[in-house]
Every structure is written in structure tokens, then in C-alpha cells.
Amino acid sequence: QVQLVESGGGLVADGGSLRLSCAVSGRSVTMNGMGWGWFRQAPGKEREFVAAINWRGEDTIYADSVEGRFTISRDNAKKTVYLQMNNLKPEDTAVYYCAGDRGGLVPARGANSYDYWGQGTQVTVSA
């Protein structure tokens, strides 16, 4: 079983930055072969894709709304996945979720591609 724990959320002003972390743990867990993604869900809205990275960390994809502002990365040695968020906007306010994909050869946009999910961390951007 794989456990994902997000951290780094909080309250930030419009234009500010935050870095989210997703700590990966579990018996026999390995970062090799797994892709990772970040999703978010704002109040009253459906969960949406934010960013994803493949198992080698060489291929990344982003939602149009965050392209150029957010960066996803991974540190296999630390078993951690990151989401650096710059130039945050009020519309970025949401609960952010980390997700793991056992078939991570290519980064995936669809939530159904992911096998493991964290509990989420709240990000609030004030105007």
C-alpha cells in the first residue's frame, strides 16, 4: 500500500508563491516506474487536473490555466513530489491533491489513471 501526504498549503496574497510537497511512503514503495500528478478541487466545482510528471521526471504536462506559473518535480531519493506555484491568483484557491500512477511511463491528465491519492492540502489566495 502506498500513502501520500501533502503539505505546504496555506494562505497567500495574490501574486505570491507556495511550494506543495507530497511525501510518499508505504511498504516496498518505489518511485521507479510511477508517474505523479497534482489535481485540485475548488468549492462547488469538480476536481481538475493541474500537472503531471512521468516516472523518469523527463516529461511534464500542465493545465492551460497554470502553464508557465506552476512547476512539478520529483525527488526519488527523498520520495517526494513537489508543485512549485508562482504568481498565484485567487482562482487558484482550492484543495490540492497529489496522486500516484503505477503505469507512469507518460504523464496522465485523467484522474482515472491514478491509483493512489492523498488527503489534500488547502491553498487559499487572497485578492
Side-chain angles (χ1 to χ4, degrees):
Q1 190 70 10
V2 176
Q3 290 85 41
L4 309 179
V5 178
E6 303 95 336
S7 61
L11 175 64
V12 64
D14 189 357
S17 297
L18 284 174
R19 188 176 80 158
L20 304 184
S21 298
C22 174
V24 182
S25 64
R27 294 187 65 181
S28 302
V29 67
T30 175
M31 297 287 280
N32 293 332
M34 290 191 67
W36 303 94
W38 287 94
F39 290 76
R40 67 186 182 186
Q41 187 168 17
K45 295 187 177 181
E46 294 186 353
R47 188 173 299 190
E48 65 174 359
F49 168 76
V50 176
I53 189 167
N54 74 330
W55 72 284
R56 287 186 173 181
E58 62 192 5
D59 193 8
T60 58
I61 55 174
Y62 297 91
D64 290 344
S65 59
V66 307
E67 181 82 52
R69 300 188 297 124
F70 291 11
T71 303
I72 187 171
S73 62
R74 57 188 295 162
D75 186 329
N76 287 355
K78 294 183 177 180
K79 293 185 177 180
T80 303
V81 183
Y82 302 99
L83 184 68
Q84 177 66 45
M85 306 186 295
N86 297 328
N87 190 21
L88 282 159
K89 305 175 181 180
E91 51 264 41
D92 294 318
T93 295
V95 176
Y96 283 71
Y97 299 90
C98 174
D101 173 13
R102 289 179 298 183
L105 293 179
V106 295
R109 294 181 182 272
N112 290 339
S113 297
Y114 292 85
D115 304 288
Y116 308 106
W117 291 85
Q119 294 301 306
T121 185
Q122 176 70 46
V123 171
T124 303
V125 184
S126 61

PDB file of all heavy atoms in Angstrom, residues 8-20 40 42-43 66 69-70 85-96 121-127:
ATOM      1  N   GLY A   8       2.357  21.998   2.768  1.00  0.00           N
ATOM      2  CA  GLY A   8       2.811  23.226   2.133  1.00  0.00           C
ATOM      3  C   GLY A   8       1.720  24.194   1.746  1.00  0.00           C
ATOM      4  O   GLY A   8       2.006  25.291   1.264  1.00  0.00           O
ATOM      5  N   GLY A   9       0.471  23.782   1.925  1.00  0.00           N
ATOM      6  CA  GLY A   9      -0.621  24.688   1.615  1.00  0.00           C
ATOM      7  C   GLY A   9      -0.718  25.816   2.632  1.00  0.00           C
ATOM      8  O   GLY A   9      -0.031  25.813   3.653  1.00  0.00           O
ATOM      9  N   GLY A  10      -1.569  26.785   2.337  1.00  0.00           N
ATOM     10  CA  GLY A  10      -1.748  27.895   3.253  1.00  0.00           C
ATOM     11  C   GLY A  10      -2.419  29.071   2.586  1.00  0.00           C
ATOM     12  O   GLY A  10      -2.976  28.938   1.494  1.00  0.00           O
ATOM     13  N   LEU A  11      -2.347  30.216   3.269  1.00  0.00           N
ATOM     14  CA  LEU A  11      -2.937  31.448   2.774  1.00  0.00           C
ATOM     15  C   LEU A  11      -1.825  32.332   2.198  1.00  0.00           C
ATOM     16  O   LEU A  11      -0.806  32.563   2.852  1.00  0.00           O
ATOM     17  CB  LEU A  11      -3.647  32.175   3.910  1.00  0.00           C
ATOM     18  CG  LEU A  11      -4.221  33.558   3.594  1.00  0.00           C
ATOM     19  CD1 LEU A  11      -5.317  33.456   2.550  1.00  0.00           C
ATOM     20  CD2 LEU A  11      -4.751  34.208   4.875  1.00  0.00           C
ATOM     21  N   VAL A  12      -2.036  32.827   0.982  1.00  0.00           N
ATOM     22  CA  VAL A  12      -1.039  33.667   0.330  1.00  0.00           C
ATOM     23  C   VAL A  12      -1.766  34.766  -0.433  1.00  0.00           C
ATOM     24  O   VAL A  12      -2.907  34.593  -0.870  1.00  0.00           O
ATOM     25  CB  VAL A  12      -0.150  32.815  -0.607  1.00  0.00           C
ATOM     26  CG1 VAL A  12      -0.959  32.213  -1.739  1.00  0.00           C
ATOM     27  CG2 VAL A  12       1.032  33.613  -1.128  1.00  0.00           C
ATOM     28  N   ALA A  13      -1.112  35.884  -0.576  1.00  0.00           N
ATOM     29  CA  ALA A  13      -1.698  37.011  -1.297  1.00  0.00           C
ATOM     30  C   ALA A  13      -1.588  36.808  -2.815  1.00  0.00           C
ATOM     31  O   ALA A  13      -0.730  36.062  -3.297  1.00  0.00           O
ATOM     32  CB  ALA A  13      -1.010  38.304  -0.896  1.00  0.00           C
ATOM     33  N   ASP A  14      -2.445  37.480  -3.526  1.00  0.00           N
ATOM     34  CA  ASP A  14      -2.421  37.468  -4.988  1.00  0.00           C
ATOM     35  C   ASP A  14      -1.008  37.796  -5.480  1.00  0.00           C
ATOM     36  O   ASP A  14      -0.412  38.782  -5.043  1.00  0.00           O
ATOM     37  CB  ASP A  14      -3.417  38.505  -5.495  1.00  0.00           C
ATOM     38  CG  ASP A  14      -3.646  38.431  -6.990  1.00  0.00           C
ATOM     39  OD1 ASP A  14      -3.000  37.613  -7.668  1.00  0.00           O
ATOM     40  OD2 ASP A  14      -4.486  39.210  -7.493  1.00  0.00           O
ATOM     41  N   GLY A  15      -0.471  36.942  -6.367  1.00  0.00           N
ATOM     42  CA  GLY A  15       0.879  37.137  -6.871  1.00  0.00           C
ATOM     43  C   GLY A  15       1.956  36.434  -6.089  1.00  0.00           C
ATOM     44  O   GLY A  15       3.125  36.427  -6.492  1.00  0.00           O
ATOM     45  N   GLY A  16       1.599  35.835  -4.984  1.00  0.00           N
ATOM     46  CA  GLY A  16       2.564  35.149  -4.147  1.00  0.00           C
ATOM     47  C   GLY A  16       2.899  33.747  -4.642  1.00  0.00           C
ATOM     48  O   GLY A  16       2.431  33.312  -5.696  1.00  0.00           O
ATOM     49  N   SER A  17       3.721  33.050  -3.846  1.00  0.00           N
ATOM     50  CA  SER A  17       4.188  31.708  -4.217  1.00  0.00           C
ATOM     51  C   SER A  17       4.021  30.733  -3.058  1.00  0.00           C
ATOM     52  O   SER A  17       4.064  31.139  -1.888  1.00  0.00           O
ATOM     53  CB  SER A  17       5.667  31.755  -4.617  1.00  0.00           C
ATOM     54  OG  SER A  17       5.876  32.561  -5.750  1.00  0.00           O
ATOM     55  N   LEU A  18       3.867  29.489  -3.407  1.00  0.00           N
ATOM     56  CA  LEU A  18       3.842  28.393  -2.444  1.00  0.00           C
ATOM     57  C   LEU A  18       4.486  27.181  -3.106  1.00  0.00           C
ATOM     58  O   LEU A  18       4.434  27.034  -4.332  1.00  0.00           O
ATOM     59  CB  LEU A  18       2.423  28.013  -2.032  1.00  0.00           C
ATOM     60  CG  LEU A  18       1.660  28.911  -1.057  1.00  0.00           C
ATOM     61  CD1 LEU A  18       0.230  28.420  -0.911  1.00  0.00           C
ATOM     62  CD2 LEU A  18       2.352  28.949   0.298  1.00  0.00           C
ATOM     63  N   ARG A  19       5.071  26.313  -2.284  1.00  0.00           N
ATOM     64  CA  ARG A  19       5.560  25.032  -2.794  1.00  0.00           C
ATOM     65  C   ARG A  19       4.878  23.921  -2.027  1.00  0.00           C
ATOM     66  O   ARG A  19       5.036  23.810  -0.816  1.00  0.00           O
ATOM     67  CB  ARG A  19       7.071  24.891  -2.668  1.00  0.00           C
ATOM     68  CG  ARG A  19       7.578  23.633  -3.376  1.00  0.00           C
ATOM     69  CD  ARG A  19       9.075  23.497  -3.366  1.00  0.00           C
ATOM     70  NE  ARG A  19       9.578  22.988  -2.100  1.00  0.00           N
ATOM     71  CZ  ARG A  19      10.762  22.386  -1.960  1.00  0.00           C
ATOM     72  NH1 ARG A  19      11.540  22.214  -3.015  1.00  0.00           N
ATOM     73  NH2 ARG A  19      11.160  21.983  -0.772  1.00  0.00           N
ATOM     74  N   LEU A  20       4.131  23.115  -2.744  1.00  0.00           N
ATOM     75  CA  LEU A  20       3.489  21.949  -2.149  1.00  0.00           C
ATOM     76  C   LEU A  20       4.425  20.752  -2.227  1.00  0.00           C
ATOM     77  O   LEU A  20       5.166  20.601  -3.196  1.00  0.00           O
ATOM     78  CB  LEU A  20       2.184  21.630  -2.874  1.00  0.00           C
ATOM     79  CG  LEU A  20       1.151  22.747  -2.959  1.00  0.00           C
ATOM     80  CD1 LEU A  20      -0.116  22.229  -3.627  1.00  0.00           C
ATOM     81  CD2 LEU A  20       0.854  23.332  -1.606  1.00  0.00           C
ATOM     82  N   ARG A  40      -6.704  19.563  -8.305  1.00  0.00           N
ATOM     83  CA  ARG A  40      -7.275  20.493  -7.336  1.00  0.00           C
ATOM     84  C   ARG A  40      -8.791  20.504  -7.459  1.00  0.00           C
ATOM     85  O   ARG A  40      -9.343  20.187  -8.510  1.00  0.00           O
ATOM     86  CB  ARG A  40      -6.702  21.893  -7.523  1.00  0.00           C
ATOM     87  CG  ARG A  40      -7.108  22.573  -8.829  1.00  0.00           C
ATOM     88  CD  ARG A  40      -6.355  23.891  -8.982  1.00  0.00           C
ATOM     89  NE  ARG A  40      -6.735  24.608 -10.193  1.00  0.00           N
ATOM     90  CZ  ARG A  40      -6.151  25.716 -10.617  1.00  0.00           C
ATOM     91  NH1 ARG A  40      -5.139  26.250  -9.936  1.00  0.00           N
ATOM     92  NH2 ARG A  40      -6.565  26.313 -11.723  1.00  0.00           N
ATOM     93  N   ALA A  42     -11.936  23.126  -6.233  1.00  0.00           N
ATOM     94  CA  ALA A  42     -12.442  24.338  -5.601  1.00  0.00           C
ATOM     95  C   ALA A  42     -13.861  24.090  -5.113  1.00  0.00           C
ATOM     96  O   ALA A  42     -14.544  23.189  -5.615  1.00  0.00           O
ATOM     97  CB  ALA A  42     -12.421  25.491  -6.608  1.00  0.00           C
ATOM     98  N   PRO A  43     -14.331  24.868  -4.156  1.00  0.00           N
ATOM     99  CA  PRO A  43     -15.695  24.675  -3.634  1.00  0.00           C
ATOM    100  C   PRO A  43     -16.736  24.738  -4.742  1.00  0.00           C
ATOM    101  O   PRO A  43     -16.741  25.659  -5.561  1.00  0.00           O
ATOM    102  CB  PRO A  43     -15.856  25.842  -2.656  1.00  0.00           C
ATOM    103  CG  PRO A  43     -14.468  26.160  -2.234  1.00  0.00           C
ATOM    104  CD  PRO A  43     -13.608  25.928  -3.438  1.00  0.00           C
ATOM    105  N   VAL A  66      -2.446  26.913 -15.629  1.00  0.00           N
ATOM    106  CA  VAL A  66      -1.272  27.049 -14.751  1.00  0.00           C
ATOM    107  C   VAL A  66       0.041  27.020 -15.518  1.00  0.00           C
ATOM    108  O   VAL A  66       1.107  27.234 -14.924  1.00  0.00           O
ATOM    109  CB  VAL A  66      -1.252  25.955 -13.666  1.00  0.00           C
ATOM    110  CG1 VAL A  66      -2.569  25.924 -12.904  1.00  0.00           C
ATOM    111  CG2 VAL A  66      -0.939  24.581 -14.248  1.00  0.00           C
ATOM    112  N   ARG A  69       3.317  29.084 -14.794  1.00  0.00           N
ATOM    113  CA  ARG A  69       3.310  29.559 -13.395  1.00  0.00           C
ATOM    114  C   ARG A  69       3.643  28.451 -12.416  1.00  0.00           C
ATOM    115  O   ARG A  69       4.257  28.710 -11.376  1.00  0.00           O
ATOM    116  CB  ARG A  69       1.935  30.138 -13.044  1.00  0.00           C
ATOM    117  CG  ARG A  69       1.510  31.315 -13.891  1.00  0.00           C
ATOM    118  CD  ARG A  69       0.234  31.956 -13.352  1.00  0.00           C
ATOM    119  NE  ARG A  69      -0.908  31.040 -13.393  1.00  0.00           N
ATOM    120  CZ  ARG A  69      -1.629  30.719 -12.319  1.00  0.00           C
ATOM    121  NH1 ARG A  69      -1.320  31.219 -11.126  1.00  0.00           N
ATOM    122  NH2 ARG A  69      -2.664  29.898 -12.444  1.00  0.00           N
ATOM    123  N   PHE A  70       3.237  27.232 -12.729  1.00  0.00           N
ATOM    124  CA  PHE A  70       3.453  26.086 -11.846  1.00  0.00           C
ATOM    125  C   PHE A  70       4.508  25.164 -12.442  1.00  0.00           C
ATOM    126  O   PHE A  70       4.614  25.023 -13.658  1.00  0.00           O
ATOM    127  CB  PHE A  70       2.165  25.288 -11.666  1.00  0.00           C
ATOM    128  CG  PHE A  70       1.082  25.966 -10.871  1.00  0.00           C
ATOM    129  CD1 PHE A  70       1.150  27.316 -10.536  1.00  0.00           C
ATOM    130  CD2 PHE A  70      -0.025  25.249 -10.452  1.00  0.00           C
ATOM    131  CE1 PHE A  70       0.153  27.930  -9.811  1.00  0.00           C
ATOM    132  CE2 PHE A  70      -1.040  25.846  -9.724  1.00  0.00           C
ATOM    133  CZ  PHE A  70      -0.956  27.190  -9.408  1.00  0.00           C
ATOM    134  N   MET A  85       4.386  26.731  -7.088  1.00  0.00           N
ATOM    135  CA  MET A  85       3.322  27.584  -7.620  1.00  0.00           C
ATOM    136  C   MET A  85       3.729  29.045  -7.472  1.00  0.00           C
ATOM    137  O   MET A  85       3.892  29.526  -6.347  1.00  0.00           O
ATOM    138  CB  MET A  85       2.011  27.305  -6.883  1.00  0.00           C
ATOM    139  CG  MET A  85       1.607  25.837  -6.885  1.00  0.00           C
ATOM    140  SD  MET A  85      -0.017  25.541  -6.164  1.00  0.00           S
ATOM    141  CE  MET A  85       0.293  26.023  -4.460  1.00  0.00           C
ATOM    142  N   ASN A  86       3.900  29.704  -8.581  1.00  0.00           N
ATOM    143  CA  ASN A  86       4.281  31.117  -8.593  1.00  0.00           C
ATOM    144  C   ASN A  86       3.161  31.962  -9.184  1.00  0.00           C
ATOM    145  O   ASN A  86       2.291  31.455  -9.893  1.00  0.00           O
ATOM    146  CB  ASN A  86       5.556  31.311  -9.411  1.00  0.00           C
ATOM    147  CG  ASN A  86       6.741  30.585  -8.829  1.00  0.00           C
ATOM    148  OD1 ASN A  86       6.864  30.414  -7.618  1.00  0.00           O
ATOM    149  ND2 ASN A  86       7.642  30.146  -9.695  1.00  0.00           N
ATOM    150  N   ASN A  87       3.204  33.247  -8.889  1.00  0.00           N
ATOM    151  CA  ASN A  87       2.205  34.182  -9.409  1.00  0.00           C
ATOM    152  C   ASN A  87       0.794  33.647  -9.177  1.00  0.00           C
ATOM    153  O   ASN A  87      -0.028  33.595 -10.103  1.00  0.00           O
ATOM    154  CB  ASN A  87       2.447  34.442 -10.899  1.00  0.00           C
ATOM    155  CG  ASN A  87       1.606  35.573 -11.440  1.00  0.00           C
ATOM    156  OD1 ASN A  87       1.135  36.419 -10.689  1.00  0.00           O
ATOM    157  ND2 ASN A  87       1.405  35.586 -12.750  1.00  0.00           N
ATOM    158  N   LEU A  88       0.525  33.275  -7.957  1.00  0.00           N
ATOM    159  CA  LEU A  88      -0.772  32.703  -7.629  1.00  0.00           C
ATOM    160  C   LEU A  88      -1.888  33.728  -7.777  1.00  0.00           C
ATOM    161  O   LEU A  88      -1.686  34.931  -7.524  1.00  0.00           O
ATOM    162  CB  LEU A  88      -0.759  32.144  -6.209  1.00  0.00           C
ATOM    163  CG  LEU A  88      -0.056  30.790  -6.079  1.00  0.00           C
ATOM    164  CD1 LEU A  88       0.366  30.538  -4.636  1.00  0.00           C
ATOM    165  CD2 LEU A  88      -0.946  29.674  -6.586  1.00  0.00           C
ATOM    166  N   LYS A  89      -3.051  33.228  -8.170  1.00  0.00           N
ATOM    167  CA  LYS A  89      -4.213  34.056  -8.389  1.00  0.00           C
ATOM    168  C   LYS A  89      -5.363  33.559  -7.512  1.00  0.00           C
ATOM    169  O   LYS A  89      -5.386  32.386  -7.137  1.00  0.00           O
ATOM    170  CB  LYS A  89      -4.630  33.984  -9.860  1.00  0.00           C
ATOM    171  CG  LYS A  89      -3.524  34.339 -10.833  1.00  0.00           C
ATOM    172  CD  LYS A  89      -3.966  34.119 -12.271  1.00  0.00           C
ATOM    173  CE  LYS A  89      -2.842  34.443 -13.248  1.00  0.00           C
ATOM    174  NZ  LYS A  89      -3.264  34.236 -14.660  1.00  0.00           N
ATOM    175  N   PRO A  90      -6.332  34.418  -7.213  1.00  0.00           N
ATOM    176  CA  PRO A  90      -7.465  33.966  -6.392  1.00  0.00           C
ATOM    177  C   PRO A  90      -8.159  32.736  -6.971  1.00  0.00           C
ATOM    178  O   PRO A  90      -8.641  31.884  -6.215  1.00  0.00           O
ATOM    179  CB  PRO A  90      -8.375  35.189  -6.384  1.00  0.00           C
ATOM    180  CG  PRO A  90      -7.445  36.342  -6.508  1.00  0.00           C
ATOM    181  CD  PRO A  90      -6.366  35.871  -7.450  1.00  0.00           C
ATOM    182  N   GLU A  91      -8.184  32.607  -8.286  1.00  0.00           N
ATOM    183  CA  GLU A  91      -8.839  31.448  -8.903  1.00  0.00           C
ATOM    184  C   GLU A  91      -8.059  30.157  -8.724  1.00  0.00           C
ATOM    185  O   GLU A  91      -8.544  29.080  -9.080  1.00  0.00           O
ATOM    186  CB  GLU A  91      -9.094  31.691 -10.393  1.00  0.00           C
ATOM    187  CG  GLU A  91      -7.890  32.147 -11.178  1.00  0.00           C
ATOM    188  CD  GLU A  91      -7.848  33.669 -11.332  1.00  0.00           C
ATOM    189  OE1 GLU A  91      -8.167  34.377 -10.350  1.00  0.00           O
ATOM    190  OE2 GLU A  91      -7.490  34.130 -12.440  1.00  0.00           O
ATOM    191  N   ASP A  92      -6.854  30.229  -8.161  1.00  0.00           N
ATOM    192  CA  ASP A  92      -6.086  29.027  -7.821  1.00  0.00           C
ATOM    193  C   ASP A  92      -6.506  28.458  -6.472  1.00  0.00           C
ATOM    194  O   ASP A  92      -6.040  27.389  -6.078  1.00  0.00           O
ATOM    195  CB  ASP A  92      -4.594  29.337  -7.788  1.00  0.00           C
ATOM    196  CG  ASP A  92      -4.039  29.697  -9.149  1.00  0.00           C
ATOM    197  OD1 ASP A  92      -4.400  29.038 -10.139  1.00  0.00           O
ATOM    198  OD2 ASP A  92      -3.225  30.641  -9.208  1.00  0.00           O
ATOM    199  N   THR A  93      -7.372  29.160  -5.752  1.00  0.00           N
ATOM    200  CA  THR A  93      -7.839  28.687  -4.454  1.00  0.00           C
ATOM    201  C   THR A  93      -8.562  27.355  -4.602  1.00  0.00           C
ATOM    202  O   THR A  93      -9.506  27.239  -5.388  1.00  0.00           O
ATOM    203  CB  THR A  93      -8.767  29.722  -3.809  1.00  0.00           C
ATOM    204  OG1 THR A  93      -8.022  30.910  -3.532  1.00  0.00           O
ATOM    205  CG2 THR A  93      -9.382  29.192  -2.529  1.00  0.00           C
ATOM    206  N   ALA A  94      -8.110  26.359  -3.848  1.00  0.00           N
ATOM    207  CA  ALA A  94      -8.668  25.013  -3.952  1.00  0.00           C
ATOM    208  C   ALA A  94      -7.958  24.107  -2.950  1.00  0.00           C
ATOM    209  O   ALA A  94      -6.943  24.491  -2.363  1.00  0.00           O
ATOM    210  CB  ALA A  94      -8.492  24.454  -5.359  1.00  0.00           C
ATOM    211  N   VAL A  95      -8.496  22.909  -2.806  1.00  0.00           N
ATOM    212  CA  VAL A  95      -7.766  21.844  -2.129  1.00  0.00           C
ATOM    213  C   VAL A  95      -6.945  21.131  -3.202  1.00  0.00           C
ATOM    214  O   VAL A  95      -7.487  20.741  -4.245  1.00  0.00           O
ATOM    215  CB  VAL A  95      -8.714  20.859  -1.427  1.00  0.00           C
ATOM    216  CG1 VAL A  95      -7.913  19.714  -0.807  1.00  0.00           C
ATOM    217  CG2 VAL A  95      -9.539  21.571  -0.364  1.00  0.00           C
ATOM    218  N   TYR A  96      -5.657  20.973  -2.937  1.00  0.00           N
ATOM    219  CA  TYR A  96      -4.748  20.359  -3.894  1.00  0.00           C
ATOM    220  C   TYR A  96      -4.424  18.933  -3.460  1.00  0.00           C
ATOM    221  O   TYR A  96      -4.073  18.691  -2.296  1.00  0.00           O
ATOM    222  CB  TYR A  96      -3.470  21.174  -4.016  1.00  0.00           C
ATOM    223  CG  TYR A  96      -3.658  22.419  -4.847  1.00  0.00           C
ATOM    224  CD1 TYR A  96      -4.406  23.485  -4.368  1.00  0.00           C
ATOM    225  CD2 TYR A  96      -3.116  22.513  -6.127  1.00  0.00           C
ATOM    226  CE1 TYR A  96      -4.619  24.618  -5.139  1.00  0.00           C
ATOM    227  CE2 TYR A  96      -3.313  23.651  -6.906  1.00  0.00           C
ATOM    228  CZ  TYR A  96      -4.068  24.693  -6.405  1.00  0.00           C
ATOM    229  OH  TYR A  96      -4.256  25.817  -7.173  1.00  0.00           O
ATOM    230  N   THR A 121      -4.366  19.298   0.535  1.00  0.00           N
ATOM    231  CA  THR A 121      -3.911  20.435   1.323  1.00  0.00           C
ATOM    232  C   THR A 121      -4.568  21.696   0.755  1.00  0.00           C
ATOM    233  O   THR A 121      -4.658  21.871  -0.468  1.00  0.00           O
ATOM    234  CB  THR A 121      -2.378  20.550   1.311  1.00  0.00           C
ATOM    235  OG1 THR A 121      -1.968  21.606   2.183  1.00  0.00           O
ATOM    236  CG2 THR A 121      -1.826  20.818  -0.076  1.00  0.00           C
ATOM    237  N   GLN A 122      -5.039  22.561   1.655  1.00  0.00           N
ATOM    238  CA  GLN A 122      -5.788  23.742   1.240  1.00  0.00           C
ATOM    239  C   GLN A 122      -4.833  24.862   0.808  1.00  0.00           C
ATOM    240  O   GLN A 122      -3.888  25.194   1.520  1.00  0.00           O
ATOM    241  CB  GLN A 122      -6.666  24.244   2.375  1.00  0.00           C
ATOM    242  CG  GLN A 122      -7.415  25.531   2.078  1.00  0.00           C
ATOM    243  CD  GLN A 122      -8.521  25.348   1.056  1.00  0.00           C
ATOM    244  OE1 GLN A 122      -9.303  24.402   1.144  1.00  0.00           O
ATOM    245  NE2 GLN A 122      -8.599  26.251   0.079  1.00  0.00           N
ATOM    246  N   VAL A 123      -5.125  25.441  -0.344  1.00  0.00           N
ATOM    247  CA  VAL A 123      -4.420  26.634  -0.815  1.00  0.00           C
ATOM    248  C   VAL A 123      -5.458  27.739  -0.990  1.00  0.00           C
ATOM    249  O   VAL A 123      -6.448  27.553  -1.703  1.00  0.00           O
ATOM    250  CB  VAL A 123      -3.703  26.369  -2.149  1.00  0.00           C
ATOM    251  CG1 VAL A 123      -3.160  27.673  -2.738  1.00  0.00           C
ATOM    252  CG2 VAL A 123      -2.581  25.356  -1.964  1.00  0.00           C
ATOM    253  N   THR A 124      -5.219  28.861  -0.329  1.00  0.00           N
ATOM    254  CA  THR A 124      -6.129  29.991  -0.422  1.00  0.00           C
ATOM    255  C   THR A 124      -5.346  31.220  -0.861  1.00  0.00           C
ATOM    256  O   THR A 124      -4.354  31.580  -0.222  1.00  0.00           O
ATOM    257  CB  THR A 124      -6.823  30.270   0.908  1.00  0.00           C
ATOM    258  OG1 THR A 124      -7.513  29.094   1.347  1.00  0.00           O
ATOM    259  CG2 THR A 124      -7.812  31.413   0.771  1.00  0.00           C
ATOM    260  N   VAL A 125      -5.788  31.843  -1.942  1.00  0.00           N
ATOM    261  CA  VAL A 125      -5.124  33.031  -2.476  1.00  0.00           C
ATOM    262  C   VAL A 125      -6.073  34.209  -2.308  1.00  0.00           C
ATOM    263  O   VAL A 125      -7.176  34.211  -2.860  1.00  0.00           O
ATOM    264  CB  VAL A 125      -4.753  32.845  -3.952  1.00  0.00           C
ATOM    265  CG1 VAL A 125      -3.963  34.059  -4.454  1.00  0.00           C
ATOM    266  CG2 VAL A 125      -3.948  31.565  -4.153  1.00  0.00           C
ATOM    267  N   SER A 126      -5.631  35.182  -1.540  1.00  0.00           N
ATOM    268  CA  SER A 126      -6.474  36.340  -1.276  1.00  0.00           C
ATOM    269  C   SER A 126      -6.259  37.413  -2.339  1.00  0.00           C
ATOM    270  O   SER A 126      -5.139  37.626  -2.811  1.00  0.00           O
ATOM    271  CB  SER A 126      -6.177  36.909   0.101  1.00  0.00           C
ATOM    272  OG  SER A 126      -4.837  37.328   0.175  1.00  0.00           O
ATOM    273  N   ALA A 127      -7.351  38.100  -2.671  1.00  0.00           N
ATOM    274  CA  ALA A 127      -7.269  39.147  -3.706  1.00  0.00           C
ATOM    275  C   ALA A 127      -6.604  40.406  -3.174  1.00  0.00           C
ATOM    276  O   ALA A 127      -6.570  40.637  -1.954  1.00  0.00           O
ATOM    277  CB  ALA A 127      -8.671  39.464  -4.213  1.00  0.00           C
TER     278      ALA A 127
END
